[in-house]
């Protein structure tokens, strides 16, 4: 009998290699590529992406899927490969190869245009690229097909089996409880936060961040960190995971907590079962689950009292007089200061989800034709004022602050809030299982937490869905209630009783 599964795996391995090569070129574009190479890089990426697409959508891969469908336990590794490959194949075969190539090229050009527009504070120079990206995403959604919202098939790419209606309902529930909390906090006396806005030399920030990330368990023999305009994590292999960060010498929080955030993504990728290497299963199961890992390490761990009981003395050792006279409680309150922010990646835990709601609503309005690209800056500013009481003074701190639209990724933003909600459910389950987790964190010991995450989340890659992982690990489906309880408990200690 022909060994169909081995043939399928061999074909998928080649596709994986092509996609990894494209990811390496994209990483280089964000870190070291000379600006003048943008057009050549766009052509290179379009070629590689089209080759990978042609391999995946070949008649032979389709035939192998048909022959293998139903022949293996769907929960077994081979069964999961067939199931996930069918999903990828079905989506890919609905997309014309010319659309895939056009989108890849448009993204490469848009990324460079976004960088320049952001640096020059000129949305109008990015707008034509966004028009192209938007139209290509409409074509993509139409090709994939949908019954309700045009946003559904784009969201499904990042958070499988989730609908726009479900996100809209979840966000409405969350907003109804979150807005009163934010308003109550706004009336309370805020902790002093100036300690974070002193001079923190870039080299020392980078060194301290790398030391902490290594303590968390990120393996620098299988990864590295570099600088980029917008922090991100990418992987070319389970054994080659790249982090990036950006540093502001006048503000400690963005680089450090951004580094923890990206390390959470990197730990997930490094923790996938090695047997899944060079298969479609060798990455995170959804972007919501991926975000749960970054937010867990950034917030549940990195913004905790226990964490700074251990690391504040080390931070003082690195920065000396900058932190003279600052005790643990003062620093803890500073890093947990709630203050509406123009910049999403600098937002506190409480207001962060309002940034996501804004972006989600703009994306849906753009795709459904209720908003034009030229009106995006004004619409952005209006919603910022409504949700956070702030009006961006320029486009760089408004509609140009995020890289995602230049990457062609419509449907991505809601996963940030889903990850926030998942992070609390997973952390609480881990704490219940481990017992003295907070005590371990206060000693700078993270092995038990990482091991729990490896066993309950990381190792499965895409072999299990996010809903299955969450249900198995936590005994309950996704819910906003644990996150809201966590926020109320933590921030009542700082700001007084919250609604």
């Amino acid at each position: 009998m022909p060994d169909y599964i081995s043939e399928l795996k061999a074909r998928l391995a080649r596709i994986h290699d092509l996609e990894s090569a494209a990811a390496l070129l994209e990483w280089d574009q964000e870190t070291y590529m000379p600006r003048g190479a943008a057009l050549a890089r766009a052509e290179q990426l379009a070629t590689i992406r089209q080759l990978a697409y042609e391999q995946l959508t070949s008649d032979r891969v389709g035939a192998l899927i048909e022959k293998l469908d139903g022949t293996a336990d769907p929960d077994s590794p081979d069964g999961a490969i067939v199931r996930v490959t069918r999903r990828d194949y079905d989506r890919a075969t609905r997309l014309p190869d010319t659309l895939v190539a056009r989108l890849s090229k448009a993204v490469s050009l848009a990324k460079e245009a976004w960088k320049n527009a952001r640096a020059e504070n000129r949305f109008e120079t990015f707008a034509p690229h966004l028009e192209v990206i938007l139209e290509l995403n409409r074509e993509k959604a139409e090709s994939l097909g949908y019954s309700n919202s045009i946003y559904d098939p784009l969201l499904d790419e990042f958070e499988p089996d989730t609908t726009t209606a479900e996100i809209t309902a979840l966000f409405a529930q969350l907003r109804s409880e979150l807005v009163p909390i934010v308003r109550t906090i706004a009336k309370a006396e805020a902790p002093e936060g100036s300690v974070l806005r002193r001079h923190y030399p870039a080299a020392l920030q980078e060194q301290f961040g790398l030391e902490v990330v290594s303590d968390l368990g990120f393996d620098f023999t299988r990864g590295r960190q570099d600088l980029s305009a917008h922090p991100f994590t990418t992987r070319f292999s389970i054994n080659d995971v790249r982090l990036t960060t950006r540093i502001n010498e006048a503000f400690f929080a963005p680089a450090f907590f951004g580094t923890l955030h990206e390390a959470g993504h990197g730990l997930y990728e490094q923790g996938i079962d090695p047997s899944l290497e060079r298969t479609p299963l060798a990455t995170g199961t959804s972007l919501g689950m991926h975000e749960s890992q970054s937010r867990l390490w950034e917030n549940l761990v990195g913004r905790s009292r226990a964490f700074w009981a251990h690391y504040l003395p080390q931070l003082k050792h690195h920065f000396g007089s900058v932190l003279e006279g600052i005790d643990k409680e003062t620093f803890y309150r500073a890093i947990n200061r709630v203050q509406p922010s123009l910049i999403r990646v600098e937002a506190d835990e409480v207001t962060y989800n309002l940034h996501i709601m804004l972006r989600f609503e703009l994306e849906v309005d753009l795709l459904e034709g209720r908003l034009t690209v030229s009106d995006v800056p004004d619409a952005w500013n209006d919603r910022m004022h409504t949700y956070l009481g702030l009006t961006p003074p320029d486009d760089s701190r408004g509609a140009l602050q995020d890289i995602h639209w230049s990457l062609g990724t419509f449907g991505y933003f809601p996963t940030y809030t889903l990850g926030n909600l998942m992070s609390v459910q997973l952390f609480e389950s881990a704490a219940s299982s481990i017992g003295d987790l907070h005590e371990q964190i206060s000693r700078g010991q993270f092995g038990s937490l990482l091991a729990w995450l490896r066993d309950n989340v990381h190792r499965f890659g895409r072999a299990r869905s996010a809903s299955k992982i969450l249900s198995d690990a936590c005994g309950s489906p996704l819910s906003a209630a644990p996150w809201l309880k966590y926020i109320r408990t933590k921030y009542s200690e700082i700001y007084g009783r919250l609604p």
Side-chain angles (χ1 to χ4, degrees):
M1 178 178 178
D3 189 354
Y4 294 127
I5 189 65
S6 293
E7 182 184 348
L8 179 62
K9 287 179 179 178
R11 288 177 176 270
L12 294 174
R14 289 193 291 273
I15 295 167
H16 180 276
D17 291 344
L18 286 168
E19 291 173 341
S20 295
L24 179 56
L25 289 175
E26 289 169 337
W27 169 84
D28 175 70
Q29 183 174 17
E30 296 301 316
T31 52
Y32 296 109
M33 187 191 81
R35 292 173 63 183
L39 181 58
R41 183 56 48 87
E43 299 286 2
Q44 293 158 2
L45 283 165
T47 296
I48 294 176
R49 291 293 187 196
Q50 186 162 359
L51 286 172
Y53 167 82
E54 289 170 354
Q55 293 262 345
L56 176 61
T57 59
S58 69
D59 292 343
R60 185 55 182 168
V61 168
L64 289 168
I65 292 170
E66 292 300 324
K67 291 180 181 297
L68 290 164
D69 201 18
T71 63
D73 179 350
D75 293 327
S76 69
D78 286 352
I81 286 174
V82 175
R83 170 172 48 82
V84 170
T85 302
R86 173 174 283 285
R87 169 185 162 80
D88 293 347
Y89 176 84
D90 287 346
R91 285 182 63 89
T93 52
R94 295 176 192 170
L95 299 178
D97 57 355
T98 54
L99 174 59
V100 174
R102 285 160 56 213
L103 184 56
S104 178
K105 184 175 181 179
V107 164
S108 290
L109 296 174
K111 283 192 291 187
E112 294 305 307
W114 170 79
K115 289 179 189 176
N116 294 333
R118 187 169 179 267
E120 298 168 1
N121 187 31
R122 296 182 61 198
F123 181 83
E124 60 269 24
T125 64
F126 177 61
H129 295 271
L130 182 55
E131 292 274 13
V132 173
I133 293 286
L134 180 62
E135 186 54 38
L136 290 173
N137 269 277
R138 287 197 186 103
E139 288 186 40
K140 182 177 178 179
E142 294 292 345
S143 296
L144 291 170
Y146 57 91
S147 299
N148 298 306
S149 172
I150 191 173
Y151 197 77
D152 282 346
L154 305 178
L155 172 64
D156 184 70
E157 179 177 354
F158 304 109
E159 202 64 31
D161 304 319
T162 301
T163 68
T164 308
E166 290 170 340
I167 296 295
T168 301
L170 179 66
F171 280 10
Q173 175 197 357
L174 192 58
R175 187 187 300 109
S176 69
E177 297 195 48
L178 185 56
V179 169
I181 291 174
V182 172
R183 289 175 178 169
T184 300
I185 289 176
K187 297 175 184 177
E189 183 178 355
E192 176 58 50
S194 61
V195 63
L196 301 177
R197 292 187 177 272
R198 299 175 179 178
H199 179 67
Y200 292 89
L204 294 179
Q205 286 197 57
E206 185 173 16
Q207 180 184 350
F208 180 69
L210 291 172
E211 289 174 4
V212 174
V213 167
S214 182
D215 290 347
L216 299 185
F218 186 80
D219 183 356
F220 280 99
T221 69
R222 299 189 294 137
R224 58 179 289 127
Q225 178 180 272
D226 294 274
L227 301 179
S228 66
H230 188 102
F232 69 97
T233 298
T234 190
R235 63 98 182 95
F236 319 130
S237 159
I238 294 169
N239 295 312
D240 190 352
V241 180
R242 310 292 177 96
L243 317 178
T244 70
T245 193
R246 67 182 177 202
I247 297 175
N248 180 348
E249 290 196 325
F251 192 11
F252 172 76
F256 181 71
F257 291 105
T259 294
L260 291 190
H261 182 99
E262 298 307 328
H265 287 302
L267 289 167
Y268 189 178
E269 293 291 343
Q270 287 187 339
I272 294 170
D273 188 329
S275 69
L276 304 182
E277 184 71 286
R278 297 180 79 213
T279 77
L281 307 182
T283 191
T285 189
S286 79
L287 289 194
M289 185 58 71
H290 232 305
E291 192 66 12
S292 78
Q293 300 308 286
S294 59
R295 298 297 278 181
L296 185 152
W297 289 102
E298 176 191 354
N299 292 329
L300 281 299
V301 175
R303 295 185 190 270
S304 69
R305 279 193 177 92
F307 183 87
W308 290 104
H310 180 75
Y311 280 107
L312 185 58
Q314 294 188 30
L315 189 67
K316 288 184 172 183
H317 175 74
H318 278 76
F319 293 100
S321 61
V322 175
L323 292 163
E324 186 175 352
I326 301 298
D327 60 26
K328 180 186 71 174
E329 189 63 19
T330 300
F331 194 81
Y332 169 77
R333 287 172 174 264
I335 63 171
N336 288 292
R337 176 186 171 97
V338 176
Q339 184 174 24
S341 166
L342 293 170
I343 308 301
R344 175 184 61 84
V345 296
E346 297 174 5
D348 56 78
E349 285 183 287
V350 179
T351 62
Y352 182 89
N353 289 318
L354 296 174
H355 287 264
I356 305 309
M357 294 175 193
L358 177 157
R359 288 154 172 78
F360 167 67
E361 291 168 3
L362 291 182
E363 288 194 343
V364 175
D365 285 350
L366 281 166
L367 284 160
E368 295 186 349
R370 291 188 296 272
L371 180 67
T372 65
V373 167
S374 61
D375 289 333
V376 164
D378 288 340
W380 183 292
N381 293 351
D382 288 345
R383 281 176 168 84
M384 280 291 293
H385 187 267
T386 299
Y387 290 166
L388 294 163
L390 301 173
T391 301
D394 51 49
D395 292 338
S396 293
R397 285 173 284 185
L400 285 173
Q401 66 178 269
D402 291 307
I403 196 174
H404 302 70
W405 289 342
S406 75
L407 301 177
T409 49
F410 279 73
Y412 185 111
F413 278 116
T415 65
Y416 284 123
T417 289
L418 298 181
N420 274 336
L421 305 185
M422 292 179 194
S423 71
V424 173
Q425 290 179 260
L426 290 166
F427 185 85
E428 290 182 349
S429 184
S432 176
S433 176
I434 294 169
D436 64 342
L437 178 55
H438 292 280
E439 178 62 27
Q440 290 184 30
I441 292 172
S442 72
R443 298 194 300 269
Q445 298 172 355
F446 306 102
S448 295
L449 175 57
L450 182 58
W452 189 92
L453 293 169
R454 291 274 196 255
D455 190 52
N456 290 277
V457 179
H458 300 173
R459 65 187 175 98
F460 301 113
R462 293 176 72 197
R464 288 192 184 177
S465 67
S467 59
K468 173 67 171 170
I469 288 173
L470 198 65
S471 178
D472 288 350
C474 305
S476 59
L478 177 67
S479 170
W483 185 86
L484 287 164
K485 180 181 178 182
Y486 158 75
I487 290 296
R488 288 189 174 101
T489 300
K490 177 176 179 177
Y491 287 92
S492 289
E493 294 178 359
I494 300 174
Y495 287 94
R497 184 175 178 82
L498 299 176

